[in-house]
């Protein structure tokens, strides 16, 4: 690290990702003079980004004061909005959940009604966590459709009428008094699962199998969004030419129209079962219903066929299956693994792990929190904040 690069934000990054350190240790790491380190530490202390560690460090003389990252300095608001369900949370700066709520919510109600509800729920959760709106450093939102991450605007979302081009950050920021970041829901799930469960894996695919199907891509430990934020939309890869399999995007034979939760629920309804959505399908599988189990296994094979191509192309170290249908467990995984291992190159699967999510429904809100933290704790952003910009 160069002296020029080691601003207050860089010192915070060192303390955030390591143990408590003294001024002398920070001088050795950065090459900065003691007076410069002290000045930047004082700025971080003034803004509560850091705090003195509990115990002073002694090397035989006068104990040296060590400093550590203050995870309680601010809070983050996080929301994972699905087609029919929402999970909200307040986290600290280490993504620890301080308060959370899960509730049915129809995204089809439109942006203003949904976001007005979101503001009210966030205000309630902030009070429940023991904080105030002034403690919020950022807000992270996941939406069930394509999102242009740079603007936070949904783009032609097929299940979100009225949301196309809506300025979500512009609507929320004045009401919550903090920057708002928006992304596709599967991207924030991928961030959450990678951050909390598999940070050591550099290349990972997170596949959400719920009402629809999408994929979040982690490469070199970072989320890959693509040129416009559309990377990973595997739900619209064609897997059949069957004319009756019309997808909500208007095309024929998309993976989502064949193996998504809505498609399976529809097939089961046609067979006389009372299945309205993905959760009803999972309930039937868990009850041992043969037709539901057979359809889930076939869905796994259809998904596995697409993933086998991705394994050969991308060579991930892990594939994580999430979304409501992942709760069907081994019945879905068996079909996925069958096709991946039979149609992928041996070298590409040599160390590949295929598993279900470990964070459960929390993956999205943890990932939304991570998205905010990567933004507000970026060294440049911290330098601006301590400079009063």
């Amino acid at each position: 690290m160069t002296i020029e690069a080691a601003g207050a934000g860089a010192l915070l990054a060192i303390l955030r990702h390591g143990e408590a350190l003294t001024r002398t240790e920070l001088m050795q790491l950065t090459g900065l003079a003691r007076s410069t380190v002290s000045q930047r530490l004082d700025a971080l202390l003034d803004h509560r980004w850091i705090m003195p560690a509990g115990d002073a460090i002694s090397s035989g003389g006068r104990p040296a004061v060590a400093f550590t990252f203050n995870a309680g300095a601010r809070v983050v608001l996080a929301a994972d909005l699905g087609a029919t369900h929402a999970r909200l949370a307040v986290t600290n700066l280490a993504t620890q959940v301080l308060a959370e709520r899960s509730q049915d919510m129809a995204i089809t109600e439109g942006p203003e009604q949904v976001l007005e509800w979101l503001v009210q729920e966030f205000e309630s959760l902030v009070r429940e966590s023991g904080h105030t709106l002034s403690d919020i450093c950022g807000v992270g939102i996941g939406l069930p459709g394509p999102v242009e991450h740079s603007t936070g605007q949904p783009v032609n979302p097929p299940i979100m009428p009225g949301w196309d081009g809506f300025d979500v950050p512009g609507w929320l920021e004045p009401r919550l008094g903090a920057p708002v970041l928006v992304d596709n829901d599967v991207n924030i799930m991928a961030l959450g699962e990678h951050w909390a469960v598999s940070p050591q894996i550099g290349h990972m695919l997170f596949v959400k199998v719920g009402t629809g199907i999408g994929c979040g891509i982690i490469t070199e430990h970072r989320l890959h969004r693509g040129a416009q934020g559309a990377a990973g939309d595997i739900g619209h890869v064609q897997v059949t030419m069957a004319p009756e399999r019309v997808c909500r995007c208007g095309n024929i034979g998309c993976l989502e129209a064949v193996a998504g939760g809505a498609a399976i629920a529809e097939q089961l309804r046609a067979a006389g079962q009372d299945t309205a959505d993905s959760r009803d399908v999972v309930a039937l599988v868990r009850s041992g219903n043969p037709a539901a189990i057979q359809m889930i296994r076939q869905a796994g094979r259809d998904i596995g066929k697409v993933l086998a191509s991705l394994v050969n192309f991308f060579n991930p170290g892990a594939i994580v299956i999430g979304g409501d249908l992942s709760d069907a467990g081994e019945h879905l995984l068996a079909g996925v693994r069958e096709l991946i291992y039979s149609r992928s190159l041996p070298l590409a699967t040599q160390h590949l792990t295929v598993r279900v999510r470990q964070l459960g429904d929390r993956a999205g809100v943890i990932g939304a929190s991570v998205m905010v933290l990567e933004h507000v704790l970026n060294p440049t952003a911290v330098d601006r904040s301590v400079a009063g910009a």
Side-chain angles (χ1 to χ4, degrees), residues 58-77:
S58 175
S59 58
R62 182 181 177 183
V65 176
F67 300 92
T68 188
F69 177 61
N70 181 12
R74 313 280 194 282
V75 295
V76 175
L77 304 185

Side-chain angles (χ1 to χ4, degrees), residues 307-371:
L307 291 179
S309 298
L310 297 184
V311 167
N312 288 328
F313 177 77
F314 179 60
N315 188 202
I319 294 176
V320 180
I321 308 297
D324 287 340
L325 288 190
S326 69
D327 292 335
E330 288 300 320
H331 293 295
L332 182 69
L333 276 184
V336 171
R337 288 178 175 141
E338 177 187 337
L339 267 291
I340 287 178
Y341 287 106
S342 67
R343 302 190 63 145
S344 302
L345 295 173
L347 181 60
T349 58
Q350 187 175 10
H351 301 293
L352 177 66
T353 300
V354 182
R355 63 171 178 84
V356 296
R357 62 186 180 183
Q358 292 186 23
L359 287 184
D361 290 341
R362 265 191 176 179
V365 291
I366 297 300
S369 177
V370 172
M371 176 172 64

